[in-house]
Amino acid sequence: MGAVAPKFGCRSKMTTGVIRKMVVEATEPVSYWLPMGEERLEVQSLLGSQITLEFTGQIYCIECGRKTTKSFNQGYCFPCLRSLAACDMCIVKPELCHYDQGTCREPAWGESHCMRPHVVYLANSSGLKVGITRASQVPTRWIDQGAVQALPLYEVDSRLQSGWLEVTLKRYIGDRTDWRAMLKGDPSQLDLLVERDRLLDQASVDLAECQLKIGSASMRLVDGAEEARFKYPVLVYPEKIKAHNFDKKARVEGCLQGVKGQYMIFDTGVLNVRKFAGYEVDLQRD
């Protein structure tokens, strides 16, 4: 997938480019590539090496490509933040989707992203949680969250419906990943089928009401769902979590000890690659 061959010996400049969220593939362990401009670096080939990532000071919007002094919502310039449906509040809170009200910022985008089948699922990342994603984003979404296990619960016809279901289930189970705990190691394995049955029993009354709202044909329990499991390419998990931040310190350097979720794990701290999408970075390997 366009990986750049590693270079050994003295410090060598591998590439400079605008980074994006890492591309993943559900292999064992999970495979990662770091997009840098037109290149894709195979991250596993860098494990155990001394790496330097240096922010050049240049930031470009991941949507329109315009140069900007500040990035919003993981890679957008301010005009795109104000105009794009992908930056609307309903992306964070799907139960607020307003496509059906005719007020979507970009109706065509809404049709291709929100008015599509969505999956409501259970995952084990830093513990048990509920979440939603477009059906087409399974299993990428689970990997991006650093889940070690995941199990589909329901399939629905739109993002709004998945938001209603998630709000219903959040009364009984959390919907967030503790990213610090996730990066300290894998959580204890759970029997997700048992957890699913327990949750469906606890929430049965509320789920029946939600089904009346969504419609029985549009709220489909995923019968015979199989649990997905993931292993991540991590040599050593950190005991303490320190987050690197290009906005505070342009240079990140250290031994790359692993990758999990959208984080690169160094012996000097962790870097949330997705947070800095659109930043131009120089990567070197000792």
Side-chain angles (χ1 to χ4, degrees):
M1 295 184 63
V4 174
K7 302 177 182 179
F8 298 92
C10 61
R11 174 175 292 242
S12 58
K13 181 176 179 180
M14 294 183 68
T15 190
T16 298
V18 175
I19 62 174
R20 300 267 186 141
K21 73 181 286 286
M22 288 182 283
V23 177
V24 304
E25 185 177 342
T27 54
E28 188 173 330
V30 173
S31 296
Y32 282 90
W33 291 267
L34 174 64
M36 297 189 70
E38 298 301 317
E39 302 284 350
R40 280 188 179 181
L41 301 183
E42 183 184 10
V43 181
Q44 273 93 325
S45 69
L46 304 177
L47 288 177
S49 301
Q50 290 292 322
I51 302 297
T52 299
L53 293 169
E54 187 156 7
F55 172 40
T56 68
Q58 309 298 314
I59 306 174
Y60 299 90
C61 178
I62 62 173
E63 176 65 24
C64 69
R66 127 184 337 111
K67 188 175 179 181
T68 179
T69 58
K70 186 176 181 181
S71 178
F72 301 88
N73 276 28
Q74 301 175 333
Y76 297 96
C77 65
F78 188 70
C80 284
L81 174 73
R82 295 290 300 272
S83 63
L84 295 179
C87 296
D88 205 343
M89 180 59 71
C90 52
I91 298 303
V92 179
K93 296 184 176 183
E95 69 274 16
L96 299 181
C97 177
H98 47 96
Y99 176 89
D100 61 339
Q101 300 174 27
T103 55
C104 181
R105 294 179 182 181
E106 298 175 280
W109 187 93
E111 290 171 6
S112 63
H113 287 76
C114 302
M115 306 305 291
R116 288 289 185 270
H118 278 62
V119 171
V120 181
Y121 61 85
L122 287 179
N124 182 14
S125 48
S126 58
L128 191 64
K129 60 158 289 190
V130 65
I132 71 164
T133 188
R134 290 199 311 276
S136 61
Q137 289 300 298
V138 172
T140 300
R141 176 63 173 167
W142 300 337
I143 294 172
D144 285 347
Q145 292 183 335
V148 297
Q149 298 171 268
L151 180 74
L153 289 181
Y154 287 96
E155 185 175 90
V156 294
D157 293 336
S158 70
R159 184 173 181 82
L160 177 61
Q161 293 171 349
S162 70
W164 290 341
L165 249 180
E166 185 181 41
V167 167
T168 297
L169 294 173
K170 282 196 300 184
R171 300 168 189 166
Y172 303 90
I173 188 174
D175 67 330
R176 297 183 181 276
T177 296
D178 182 339
W179 64 274
R180 292 180 179 274
M182 180 268 289
L183 290 173
K184 285 185 177 181
D186 289 339
S188 299
Q189 292 284 311
L190 300 171
D191 188 328
L192 293 189
L193 292 175
V194 170
E195 298 295 341
R196 176 200 63 185
D197 293 344
R198 180 184 297 120
L199 176 62
L200 295 180
D201 182 62
Q202 289 177 333
S204 60
V205 174
D206 289 335
L207 285 171
E209 293 180 358
C210 193
Q211 189 165 39
L212 288 175
K213 185 177 183 180
I214 293 175
S216 57
S218 297
M219 179 175 155
R220 302 173 292 277
L221 186 67
V222 183
D223 292 323
E226 294 186 2
E227 177 187 307
R229 296 191 175 216
F230 307 99
K231 293 183 179 179
Y232 295 89
V234 179
L235 303 178
V236 181
Y237 280 108
E239 294 182 4
K240 295 183 179 180
I241 302 297
K242 173 187 175 183
H244 289 299
N245 187 333
F246 283 133
D247 294 327
K248 295 181 178 180
K249 187 177 180 181
R251 181 183 289 246
V252 172
E253 52 189 341
C255 178
L256 183 63
Q257 297 184 323
V259 195
K260 191 177 184 184
Q262 280 290 319
Y263 288 84
M264 298 177 73
I265 302 171
F266 296 88
D267 59 351
T268 57
V270 301
L271 178 70
N272 183 347
V273 174
R274 188 170 194 171
K275 178 179 179 180
F276 296 103
Y279 283 54
E280 185 181 63
V281 172
D282 172 72
L283 186 149
Q284 295 180 340
R285 172 182 184 168
D286 285 348

